[in-house]
C-alpha cells in the first residue's frame, strides 16, 4: 500500500548510503600505497580485500539499496539506478587504485629482495667424506661380497645366550666377568665380539650359509694407544657340507691378496677359541716391507689379521645346524686395527675422537 501511495524517491537511497559510507574515506586512506616489507604488503592487501567485501559485497549497504531500486517510482527508477551505479563505480575505483599501487609496491620489494649481487665472491661448499673406518669396512665388504658372502647387520645388545652360551663359552669363563664385559642394568651384555652374529645368521638362514658381519663391539678395556672400549670387528662364517680348514686358508689368503696385493702371504698359528676347534691366529706378511721387517710390522715381517678356526660342533648345534651333516669355518678380524696399520696411526683412539683435522686427511 505504502508503495503506491508513498513511493520511494531516488533521494531516499542516497541518505542511508552516505551514512553507511561515512567511514570509507578514512578506512581506505589508512592503508598505505607502499609497504615496507613483503609481509606488511600482504597484510594490507588482505585488509583491502575485506574493505571490498564490506563496502561492495553481497551484504553491503550498496547491495541493500540496489534491491530497493525496484520500489522506486517507475519514472525515476533510471535516475536512482544511475545514482547508485556512479556511487558503486567511485568506491570500486578507489579500491582498485589502492590495490594496484599496493601490488606494485610488493612486486618491487620482491624483486629487490631476490636480486643477486654477482660481484660477491661465492662460498665454496665443503663436501663431506666417509670415515676411515667406513672406508675400510666397505673395502672388506666388497671383497667378501664378490666371493659370494652376504653382509649381515645385527644387534649390539645381547643376551648371555648369544654372547656366551651359544658360542660354547662356559659358565665362569673370564670373558663373562663384568670386569671384561659391559652389562646393562637389566643384565643384557653389550656384545664383546661379532661372533654373536654367527648364531643369529644360522638361526635365520639355516645351512648352508656364507656371511660376514661388520659391526661395533664393546669391552671394558682402559683406553690406550692400542685399545678402546668400543671398536669394530668383522665376523665371517661359512657353513656347508664338506667345508675344511683348506677352505678357511684359501679364503683368507684370497682376502689378503685382494686387500694388500697378490704378493701377500698368510701364516696360521695354532690358538684357542671356545667356539672353534681347531683354532688359529692368522697373520699376513707386512704390506710395507714384505718380510724383512720394518717399523710398521714392528720388525717381525708379519702383521696379525685376527682369529679363526673350524666352527665347534656345539656352536652349530646351539644354532640348530646338524654337525653330522655340516661343517664350517669362521673368522674375526679387527677393522680399526687394520685401518690403523694401513694408515700408520700410532694411536687407535684417533679413529674415535672425531677431530675433523684428523679425519679430513682421509678424503
Ligand atoms: N671373536 C674373536 C675375538 O673377538 C675372534 C674370532 C676368533 C672370531 C675365531 C671367530 C673365530 O669367528 O673363529 O677375539
Amino acid at each position: 500500500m505504502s508503495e503506491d501511495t508513498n513511493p520511494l524517491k531516488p533521494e531516499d537511497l542516497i541518505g542511508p548510503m552516505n551514512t553507511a559510507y561515512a567511514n570509507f574515506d578514512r578506512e581506505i586512506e589508512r592503508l598505505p600505497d607502499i609497504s615496507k616489507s613483503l609481509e606488511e604488503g600482504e597484510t594490507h592487501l588482505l585488509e583491502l580485500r575485506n574493505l571490498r567485501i564490506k563496502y561492495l559485497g553481497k551484504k553491503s549497504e550498496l547491495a541493500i539499496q540496489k534491491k530497493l531500486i525496484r520500489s522506486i517510482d517507475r519514472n525515476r527508477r533510471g535516475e536512482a539506478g544511475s545514482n547508485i551505479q556512479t556511487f558503486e563505480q567511485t568506491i570500486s575505483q578507489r579500491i582498485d587504485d589502492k590495490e594496484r599501487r599496493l601490488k606494485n609496491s610488493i612486486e618491487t620489494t620482491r624483486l629487490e629482495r631476490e636480486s643477486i649481487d654477482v660481484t660477491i665472491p661465492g662460498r665454496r661448499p665443503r663436501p663431506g667424506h666417509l670415515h676411515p673406518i667406513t672406508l675400510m669396512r666397505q673395502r672388506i665388504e666388497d671383497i667378501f661380497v664378490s666371493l659370494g658372502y652376504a653382509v649381515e647387520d645385527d644387534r649390539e645388545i645381547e643376551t648371555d645366550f648369544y654372547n656366551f652360551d651359544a658360542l660354547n663359552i662356559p659358565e665362569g669363563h673370564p670373558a663373562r666377568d663384568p670386569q671384561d664385559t659391559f652389562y646393562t642394568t637389566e643384565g643384557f651384555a653389550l656384545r664383546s665380539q661379532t661372533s654373536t652374529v654367527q648364531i643369529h645368521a644360522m638361526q635365520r638362514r639355516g645351512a648352508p650359509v656364507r656371511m660376514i658381519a661388520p659391526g661395533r663391539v664393546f669391552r671394558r678395556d682402559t683406553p690406550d694407544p692400542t685399545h678402546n672400549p668400543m671398536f669394530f670387528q668383522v665376523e665371517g662364517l661359512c657353513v656347508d657340507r664338506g667345508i675344511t680348514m683348506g677352505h678357511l686358508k684359501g679364503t683368507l689368503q684370497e682376502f689378503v691378496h685382494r686387500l694388500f696385493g697378490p704378493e701377500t702371504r698368510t701364516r696360521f698359528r695354532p690358538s684357542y677359541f671356545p667356539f672353534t676347534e681347531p683354532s688359529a691366529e692368522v697373520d699376513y706378511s707386512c704390506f710395507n716391507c714384505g718380510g724383512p721387517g720394518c717399523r710398521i710390522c714392528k720388525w717381525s715381517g708379519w702383521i696379525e689379521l685376527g682369529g679363526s678356526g673350524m666352527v665347534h660342533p656345539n656352536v652349530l648345534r646351539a644354532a640348530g645346524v646338524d654337525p653330522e651333516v655340516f661343517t664350517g669355518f669362521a673368522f674375526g678380524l679387527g677393522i680399526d686395527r687394520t685401518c690403523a696399520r694401513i694408515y700408520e696411526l700410532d694411536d687407535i683412539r684417533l679413529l674415535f675422537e672425531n677431530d675433523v683435522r684428523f679425519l679430513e686427511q682421509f678424503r
Side-chain angles (χ1 to χ4, degrees):
M1 245 255 294
S2 66
E3 258 187 28
D4 292 336
T5 54
N6 189 12
L8 279 177
K9 295 189 243 7
E11 306 80 271
D12 295 337
L13 305 190
I14 299 296
M17 299 260 285
N18 279 341
T19 314
Y21 289 79
N23 286 332
F24 176 75
D25 261 352
R26 197 174 46 77
E27 284 195 65
I28 192 158
E29 288 316 323
R30 202 180 55 78
L31 297 177
D33 291 346
I34 292 171
S35 45
K36 291 194 209 79
S37 69
L38 284 182
E39 294 71 25
E40 201 182 286
E42 295 297 344
T43 311
H44 291 146
L45 262 189
L46 193 70
E47 286 171 346
L48 193 62
R49 220 161 282 146
N50 290 337
L51 271 193
R52 194 188 286 279
I53 293 168
K54 176 172 172 189
Y55 286 111
L56 298 172
K58 282 194 209 114
K59 291 181 186 153
S60 62
E61 188 61 30
L62 188 82
I64 295 171
Q65 298 299 327
K66 258 187 187 172
K67 287 201 194 104
L68 291 178
I69 293 179
R70 273 181 280 134
S71 334
I72 288 180
D73 182 82
R74 199 177 302 260
N75 305 328
R76 300 194 64 194
R77 230 177 253 176
E79 187 190 332
S82 82
N83 278 352
I84 295 257
Q85 202 178 19
T86 312
F87 197 91
E88 182 173 21
Q89 277 170 355
T90 313
I91 300 284
S92 126
Q93 187 71 49
R94 295 272 304 279
I95 295 178
D96 288 349
D97 288 349
K98 176 71 78 182
E99 187 177 64
R100 194 166 19 81
R101 286 193 293 269
L102 258 177
K103 282 187 170 166
N104 280 343
S105 148
I106 288 174
E107 192 52 28
T108 313
T109 316
R110 179 168 290 136
L111 284 177
E112 276 167 10
R113 180 190 275 196
E114 286 171 4
S115 68
I116 295 171
D117 182 349
V118 291
T119 63
I120 294 177
R123 257 185 252 131
R124 193 179 292 281
R126 285 182 35 167
H129 58 93
L130 296 174
H131 191 281
I133 291 182
T134 307
L135 293 172
M136 191 72 224
R137 194 198 71 212
Q138 290 180 341
R139 282 173 69 186
I140 296 172
E141 284 179 3
D142 284 350
I143 295 173
F144 280 106
V145 165
S146 78
L147 295 176
Y149 283 68
V151 180
E152 289 275 352
D153 182 23
D154 223 296
R155 64 215 78 182
E156 293 172 358
I157 297 180
E158 284 291 2
T159 58
D160 272 2
F161 174 76
Y162 288 98
N163 209 45
F164 302 119
D165 300 327
L167 290 169
N168 201 34
I169 300 173
E171 292 285 345
H173 190 281
R176 293 191 181 232
D177 194 321
Q179 291 226 332
D180 290 327
T181 300
F182 290 106
Y183 286 95
T184 69
T185 42
E186 294 84 4
F188 294 107
L190 298 196
R191 69 176 178 193
S192 48
Q193 47 191 345
T194 46
S195 305
T196 52
V197 188
Q198 290 186 25
I199 311 301
H200 291 294
M202 283 190 278
Q203 285 182 335
R204 250 197 316 267
R205 295 166 178 264
V209 61
R210 253 184 291 177
M211 69 91 193
I212 58 164
R216 284 189 173 81
V217 298
F218 308 85
R219 287 183 198 171
R220 292 192 71 158
D221 285 331
T222 309
D224 68 24
T226 55
H227 292 90
N228 197 59
M230 185 279 293
F231 56 103
F232 287 81
Q233 289 187 331
V234 56
E235 192 76 11
L237 174 71
C238 171
V239 175
D240 207 335
R241 292 176 177 84
I243 295 290
T244 69
M245 195 92 184
H247 296 114
L248 167 62
K249 287 179 130 183
T251 303
L252 290 183
Q253 177 73 47
E254 180 63 19
F255 171 67
V256 296
H257 277 187
R258 296 210 196 171
L259 194 59
F260 300 112
E263 62 290 340
T264 316
R265 288 162 290 125
T266 51
R267 177 173 84 171
F268 287 74
R269 286 179 285 117
S271 184
Y272 171 79
F273 299 103
F275 29 89
T276 42
E277 183 59 36
S279 306
E281 302 265 2
V282 193
D283 301 332
Y284 58 97
S285 56
C286 176
F287 55 81
N288 187 49
C289 66
C294 67
R295 208 178 69 88
I296 291 184
C297 58
K298 306 213 178 70
W299 308 103
S300 77
W302 295 95
I303 298 173
E304 197 180 306
L305 184 65
S308 69
M310 299 304 292
V311 182
H312 196 289
N314 287 351
V315 175
L316 294 176
R317 227 173 272 125
V321 172
D322 184 353
E324 298 298 327
V325 181
F326 292 100
T327 52
F329 65 77
F331 54 86
L333 322 173
I335 300 183
D336 23 38
R337 257 205 286 160
T338 309
C339 201
R341 286 291 181 151
I342 289 180
Y343 295 121
E344 292 185 51
L345 310 179
D346 40 26
D347 193 329
I348 203 164
R349 292 171 294 184
L350 285 167
L351 288 169
F352 307 113
E353 282 164 358
N354 284 338
D355 184 332
V356 180
R357 290 166 304 176
F358 169 74
L359 294 176
E360 264 176 350
Q361 301 170 48
F362 300 92
R363 287 177 181 281

